[in-house]
Amino acid sequence: DSIVNVLKIQDPESYEYNYLEVINNEHSKSSFSNLEKAAEISPNNVQLYIDYIIYYELTDNPAKKKQYCQKLFESNIYSNGLLEYSYNLLNSLEKNSILFTYGEHDTYPTLIQQEVKSIRNDVTVLNLELLKDLQYRTNKYNKLKIKEPSASIDNLINKTILENPDTPIYLSATINPKILSSLSNQLYITGLAF
């Protein structure tokens, strides 16, 4: 925070200040103007495409999310191998399932497969970082018509599985092992997911 405060005073029009505001505010709606300013300063910065995808996912704007998934795909930031992994990951899941993801490399290539290549749009990808936003979480669970547990992010997967036993729920292999520890005796690999 101290770096952001110094930048706010010394260089509030800089890319660095505006981008750090987006990150420090965890992509909140209030930091969208900072994201726009950062993009104005550095329009071809691929990291900003991911931030726009996050923002449009959080605000439920599928058309804009798709537009930035296309830009991210065209940037060639992800290798063909990673994109193929995401393709195979999606195709190893049951119809209309939920896939919990954890990081960049299991989330955004998977979204590219869905949004750009129209692969397995029946699967709902839920990124744990985004689910920290309680309004977003509630909206997604309501849209999926599943019970939303009252749980910290560390217990969210476990409680979601327990409260929705008839819903096909999968976990990306990249989920933090600490989060999976309470489920370890119930997990088994199915294709490329648990």
Side-chain angles (χ1 to χ4, degrees), residues 119-163:
I119 304 297
R120 295 301 307 274
N121 289 319
D122 61 294
V123 173
T124 301
V125 176
L126 296 177
N127 177 282
L128 284 174
E129 285 298 311
L130 300 186
L131 291 171
K132 288 178 181 177
D133 182 310
L134 296 179
Q135 180 181 355
Y136 170 74
R137 184 192 308 182
T138 297
N139 291 343
K140 290 304 270 189
Y141 276 63
N142 287 341
K143 190 181 266 189
L144 290 165
K145 296 181 172 87
I146 61 173
K147 292 179 188 171
E148 178 187 0
S150 177
S152 69
I153 206 71
D154 291 341
N155 295 317
L156 183 64
I157 293 173
N158 191 15
K159 292 204 176 199
T160 300
I161 292 169
L162 291 173
E163 292 186 22

Side-chain angles (χ1 to χ4, degrees), residues 13 25 29 32 50 52-53 65 80 84 100 122 131 133 138 143 148 150 181-182 191:
E13 298 301 313
N25 288 301
K29 294 174 191 169
F32 185 69
I50 292 171
Y52 274 110
I53 292 167
K65 176 181 145 189
N80 286 335
E84 288 172 13
F100 281 98
D122 61 294
L131 291 171
D133 182 310
T138 297
K143 190 181 266 189
E148 178 187 0
S150 177
S181 64
S182 63

Side-chain angles (χ1 to χ4, degrees), residues 27 40 53 60 96 104 122 167:
H27 298 89
E40 183 182 304
I53 292 167
D60 195 25
N96 299 317
E104 175 184 339
D122 61 294
T167 303

Side-chain angles (χ1 to χ4, degrees), residues 24-25 34 38 53 67 84 91 105 136 194:
N24 279 356
N25 288 301
N34 297 103
I53 292 167
Q67 176 186 343
E84 288 172 13
N91 282 307
H105 289 93
Y136 170 74
F194 291 108

Side-chain angles (χ1 to χ4, degrees), residues 14-180:
S14 70
Y15 169 84
E16 290 77 10
Y17 164 70
N18 284 284
Y19 187 67
L20 286 174
E21 278 291 321
V22 172
I23 300 304
N24 279 356
N25 288 301
E26 297 182 347
H27 298 89
S28 70
K29 294 174 191 169
S30 65
S31 66
F32 185 69
S33 62
N34 297 103
L35 179 57
E36 294 274 88
K37 182 68 177 172
E40 183 182 304
I41 296 166
S42 185
N44 297 319
N45 186 323
V46 174
Q47 179 58 46
L48 294 178
Y49 300 160
I50 292 171
D51 294 304
Y52 274 110
I53 292 167
I54 291 169
Y55 178 78
Y56 291 125
E57 175 67 15
L58 289 172
T59 58
D60 195 25
N61 188 332
K64 286 292 210 174
K65 176 181 145 189
K66 183 178 187 108
Q67 176 186 343
Y68 279 92
C69 282
Q70 180 69 44
K71 287 183 175 204
L72 187 60
F73 173 66
E74 291 171 358
S75 75
N76 292 317
I77 191 172
Y78 298 119
S79 69
N80 286 335
L82 189 54
L83 291 169
E84 288 172 13
Y85 174 86
S86 296
Y87 173 87
N88 290 328
L89 173 63
L90 284 168
N91 282 307
S92 67
L93 309 178
E94 286 179 59
K95 186 173 177 58
N96 299 317
S97 59
I98 296 169
L99 173 65
F100 281 98
T101 62
Y102 188 71
E104 175 184 339
H105 289 93
D106 62 344
T107 302
Y108 302 102
T110 304
L111 291 177
I112 285 171
Q113 290 293 349
Q114 290 183 311
E115 299 295 332
V116 177
K117 299 187 174 199
S118 298
I119 304 297
R120 295 301 307 274
N121 289 319
D122 61 294
V123 173
T124 301
V125 176
L126 296 177
N127 177 282
L128 284 174
E129 285 298 311
L130 300 186
L131 291 171
K132 288 178 181 177
D133 182 310
L134 296 179
Q135 180 181 355
Y136 170 74
R137 184 192 308 182
T138 297
N139 291 343
K140 290 304 270 189
Y141 276 63
N142 287 341
K143 190 181 266 189
L144 290 165
K145 296 181 172 87
I146 61 173
K147 292 179 188 171
E148 178 187 0
S150 177
S152 69
I153 206 71
D154 291 341
N155 295 317
L156 183 64
I157 293 173
N158 191 15
K159 292 204 176 199
T160 300
I161 292 169
L162 291 173
E163 292 186 22
N164 299 282
D166 297 327
T167 303
I169 298 174
Y170 293 86
L171 315 176
S172 172
T174 63
I175 297 280
N176 186 330
K178 288 181 190 176
I179 294 172
L180 299 179

